[in-house]
Amino acid sequence: MKITKHRQKVLDALQQWFSIHKQGPTLEELCQELGMQPRQKATVKRWLQTMRGIDVEWDDHSARSLRLLTSDLEKPSLQLSVTDTLRYLATGVVQWEKLELEKRNQVPDALRIGMSRMYLASLLRKEQAPENLPQFFDWAETLITSWKPTQEIKYLSPDVSVIEDGVVSDFAREWQVSGNDVMAQVQESVLKDVLEYCRGNQLEDAYRAFRLLIITKPTLHYSEYRQWLSLPELRPLRELLSRLEIYVDMDKLAEGSIYHLCPRCKYVQRQRPDGTYTCRNPWCERLCATSNLQPLLPIPKEKAEEWKAVTPGVHLYGTLPGIWEIQLKEELTKLGVRVTLWPFVDEFDLLVEFPRKVRWAIDLKDWASVDEERLQKVQYRRDATETFVVFPDEREDFLRIKVVREQLEPKLEGVRLRLFSEIITQAQTILALFCHSRRSIIKGDR
């Protein structure tokens, strides 16, 4: 039987599918992957029949049994982000350079993680990779693109290396991450990758859908994960998200016979030594107690492999602060004002629009302490009536916003510091003034 001219289109769609899903698609789902209508199932089925036994196979009596046959088309079940691996390597090399000469036989954790990931990624591709420190430093002086997995990174300069002329290269210094928790910082960097990609391609709706996904669904069943990625808003990001380590199999985050999720943030909890469970974020524990949030149904171990979860770094830097942002939007929306989350591809967190062209630009900060240097990075928006940095009321005992703002606001060039409840009250006051003014005008007309 002649192979259909649509073969490559079908193979590309299946490759994309299996980079995300473990089980094969139904005919309806494959139609969706191909950008076709469900009523065209018969056409897709004919295409598959011409490829059966050559590229694909399935069990006539088993659902979701469609699979790829050609080995070089199949992707390994373990996907490792090459971008993240390079960040570990760059960070580790910079850390290694800072060590005293007599201590340079010690391998920084970031470099150890990067080398392990590099070796594993190469092993999965049946390629060679450095196996020890001397071999790594030999490779580090060669062009980065000599390691074939880097060729999947778009816009990576072909003439850079990790070490140039015996010293750490500018490339490595640009790609390093800073902070005490290297793994969390590397995981956070994928959020910046998505942000930069969306800004560069003006994908505001896609970025907003992505943020909503990681905030509202930090853990979710595989089928629901697929449904989210099938949304029209997220389609422009599917290729990028498949390369980045944002969601991983949930059973890789913890070991145990059962998995518990935090009632507030919906993320995988840690097990204490006494056998009880606690959220990875201490503030969630306090808020669950004060809000009397009820426990969620646990997930048995045998079902955990069907669930996905964001990495701990994405949870820390994306999910947790986002919960407050969405909550503030909901409270302001209830008052009748228009609120846009992450406008202009996340130039700030909320754009609040009142009648008569009154506009607020809000950045919401979930900080454990007030940092003047970080506050000064918040830019006053000249296209807004007011620019606010807003903090949750629950942090007030530690932040003392009502006290420190008298000292800090004069240094912030017009940016105001407010608590969550104060912003709600101020919005209510403005709306009340608008209503009073409108009633006065109506009476005057009469």
Side-chain angles (χ1 to χ4, degrees), residues 389-418:
V389 175
V390 176
F391 300 88
D393 288 61
E394 288 77 1
R395 297 280 196 180
E396 174 63 359
D397 288 345
F398 298 87
L399 301 180
R400 301 173 64 244
I401 297 301
K402 294 181 179 179
V403 175
V404 301
R405 65 184 171 203
E406 295 181 6
Q407 304 164 352
L408 294 177
E409 284 186 349
K411 306 175 185 178
L412 301 180
E413 300 182 355
V415 176
R416 305 299 182 190
L417 308 186
R418 294 290 186 271

Side-chain angles (χ1 to χ4, degrees), residues 362-424:
I362 294 178
D363 268 316
L364 204 150
K365 305 297 185 187
D366 185 21
W367 292 350
S369 60
V370 177
D371 188 310
E372 182 178 338
E373 184 178 345
R374 285 195 291 174
L375 279 174
Q376 289 175 338
K377 293 180 181 178
V378 178
Q379 298 293 318
Y380 177 81
R381 300 284 306 191
R382 300 193 179 280
D383 56 351
T385 312
E386 295 272 14
T387 302
F388 295 107
V389 175
V390 176
F391 300 88
D393 288 61
E394 288 77 1
R395 297 280 196 180
E396 174 63 359
D397 288 345
F398 298 87
L399 301 180
R400 301 173 64 244
I401 297 301
K402 294 181 179 179
V403 175
V404 301
R405 65 184 171 203
E406 295 181 6
Q407 304 164 352
L408 294 177
E409 284 186 349
K411 306 175 185 178
L412 301 180
E413 300 182 355
V415 176
R416 305 299 182 190
L417 308 186
R418 294 290 186 271
L419 293 173
F420 196 109
S421 60
E422 291 178 321
I423 278 292
I424 299 299

